Amino acid sequence: MRLFTDDSSSITDPFLRRAWILARNGLGTTSPNPMVGCVLVQGTEIVGEGWHERAGGPHAEAIALRDAGSAARGATVYVTLEPCAHHGRTPPCVDALIESEVARIVIGMPDPSIVASGGAERLSAAGIEVIFADDPAPFAALNRGWLMHVRESRPWITVKLALTLDARIAAGPGVRTRISGPGAHAVTMRLRAASDAVVIGARTAIADDPALTVRDSAGAPASRQPLRVVLTRRTDPDGCSLFGDGHGQTAVLMPDGCGRAAPAGARAIEYDSAGGVTAAMRALAAEGIAHVMVEPGQTLFTALWDEGLVDELVLVHAGGVGGEGWTGSYTGSDGGPELALRTRMKAVEAEVVGDDAITVWTRKTQE
Ligand code: AOF
Ligand code: ZN
């Protein structure tokens, strides 16, 4: 989803757009399930609304049908994701829609999951008119975390870096350095709040000793906090204050068989030590995490880039230079003289925030 612009603005149908906006109410709470919104309409009047709030809870369609009551009969249903056809933690939504005798259904995008798909066919077979939105893109953008989880068994990965004008990220290895200003801080908080987990490397955890919490402008912690995760290979992050501060859950991603224990208060999540950061991210997905925000140092950013794990990049550009001895963002070898041919990301947003600028990048091959 976009940081500074409204993703739903390209949805021309007002009811489908309303369903998208309702779906987004589930931001940060539905994983590993999708965000889904649903609107029931009679003529030009909305008679029922609903959205999915958390995994295991009722689906958006079930809530909207309950809201509409007898007005569901003959209604047009607008739903952001193809209704499920499976008995999961809740009964199939297609059955509820058929029983309520709705007349027509407009669907944002098909459900690609093997378990729940097939709803559109079942609805058609029951005599309900089924229409898919012309452009599924805004609906896919809404659920890019869930889609990545379903298709690749890994989370969607947003990487945030603060850079000087000469693209340095710190005054030196292991040196805590404030690069961006207060305006960009608020953007970091928004990014954290929209994620299931915030990940840093053990070396950054030791150097910066960050809280990794979501806080409001007065510094008070939000009621819902993403899982705070420290990724380790050899470095032991024991002693970092986030493990004992009581502000939400913490975990340590550690290579299997490393023989170390997680610090008190933190959960240990093991990953295949031969599989690099990709294996670590898969281990998080297995815990139900669909959207990760990484705030990496040089080593972790280099690994993420080289393993092709940067789905989205949020850069905060501050107006000063670091210079000799400062740490750059990347130390691998994916550059070289043919850089133009190797460009992997494209800019999708740019915004001035206080004295800084923020640019957002995604893979060239996807949108
Ligand atoms: C949701 N909420 O509003 C819709 C979903 O975990 P279950 O058994 O509730 O099923 C989850 C699957 O159902 C989900 O992955 C998706 O394929 C489908 N639709 N899920 O959580 C909803 N409509
Ligand atoms: Zn359902």
Side-chain angles (χ1 to χ4, degrees):
M1 264 185 293
R2 295 281 179 259
L3 254 187
F4 303 108
T5 42
D6 179 0
D7 291 86
S8 72
S9 60
S10 67
I11 305 170
T12 46
D13 186 307
F15 296 122
L16 205 48
R17 190 169 178 191
R18 173 74 188 147
W20 191 101
I21 288 162
L22 289 171
R24 200 184 40 191
N25 288 334
L27 186 69
T29 64
T30 65
S31 291
N33 277 8
M35 285 177 252
V36 184
C38 182
V39 173
L40 265 69
V41 175
Q42 288 279 7
T44 56
E45 196 196 332
I46 293 178
V47 294
E49 289 189 335
W51 72 87
H52 183 63
E53 208 178 313
R54 59 189 70 252
H59 289 187
E61 301 91 317
I63 295 170
L65 285 171
R66 201 189 322 144
D67 189 30
S70 58
R73 191 158 178 225
T76 299
V77 181
Y78 295 83
V79 63
T80 54
L81 181 70
E82 181 180 359
C84 68
H86 78 307
H87 264 283
R89 284 176 274 203
T90 67
C93 291
V94 288
D95 291 354
L97 290 162
I98 293 165
E99 273 163 36
S100 307
E101 297 180 37
V102 302
R104 216 159 65 99
I105 181 156
V106 183
I107 301 172
M109 70 170 289
D111 186 331
S113 69
I114 294 160
V115 277
S117 63
E121 266 174 50
R122 296 244 324 255
L123 291 164
S124 285
I128 296 169
E129 185 186 354
V130 177
I131 301 156
F132 277 94
D134 295 334
D135 179 16
F139 305 96
L142 181 69
N143 279 314
R144 58 196 187 173
W146 177 69
L147 291 168
M148 188 64 88
H149 197 265
V150 167
R151 292 176 175 145
E152 310 281 342
S153 302
R154 73 161 175 88
W156 171 273
I157 299 169
T158 296
V159 176
K160 194 217 85 176
L161 282 177
L163 301 174
T164 61
L165 293 176
D166 54 342
R168 310 295 162 107
I169 61 168
V175 181
R176 180 176 190 163
T177 314
R178 185 144 228 8
I179 290 180
S180 51
H185 182 73
V187 172
T188 302
M189 293 298 127
R190 278 175 57 202
L191 288 168
R192 287 182 184 170
S195 306
D196 301 323
V198 180
V199 177
I200 56 170
R203 272 185 257 181
T204 302
I206 290 164
D208 291 1
D209 198 22
L212 292 186
T213 48
V214 180
R215 299 177 296 276
D216 65 18
S217 52
S223 57
R224 193 201 76 86
Q225 296 288 341
L227 178 67
R228 296 171 294 166
V229 181
V230 178
L231 171 60
T232 75
R233 220 167 17 170
R234 283 178 294 271
T235 311
D236 193 345
D238 217 346
C240 293
S241 36
L242 81 164
F243 297 122
D245 66 8
H247 295 311
Q249 296 186 40
T250 55
V252 178
L253 267 171
M254 41 178 64
D256 50 10
C258 70
R260 280 185 273 125
R267 188 157 100 225
I269 302 174
E270 292 201 339
Y271 64 92
D272 173 8
S273 56
V277 184
T278 307
M281 291 298 135
R282 284 179 192 277
L284 281 183
E287 299 281 318
I289 284 161
H291 191 159
V292 157
M293 176 193 175
V294 189
E295 301 184 35
Q298 188 186 56
T299 312
L300 183 51
F301 180 70
T302 300
L304 287 162
W305 184 269
D306 285 347
E307 292 183 41
L309 292 171
V310 183
D311 298 313
E312 179 183 52
L313 188 53
V314 179
L315 298 180
V316 182
H317 309 270
V321 292
E324 194 83 35
W326 280 52
T327 304
S329 59
Y330 178 77
T331 53
S333 53
D334 185 34
E338 289 166 35
L339 179 65
L341 297 175
R342 292 160 166 271
T343 305
R344 282 206 219 148
M345 312 291 284
K346 62 176 182 188
V348 291
E349 284 187 283
E351 185 87 358
V352 173
V353 177
D355 289 345
D356 301 331
I358 295 184
T359 55
V360 184
W361 305 71
T362 57
R363 281 174 206 285
K364 266 180 146 180
T365 49
Q366 113 220 315
E367 246 302 79

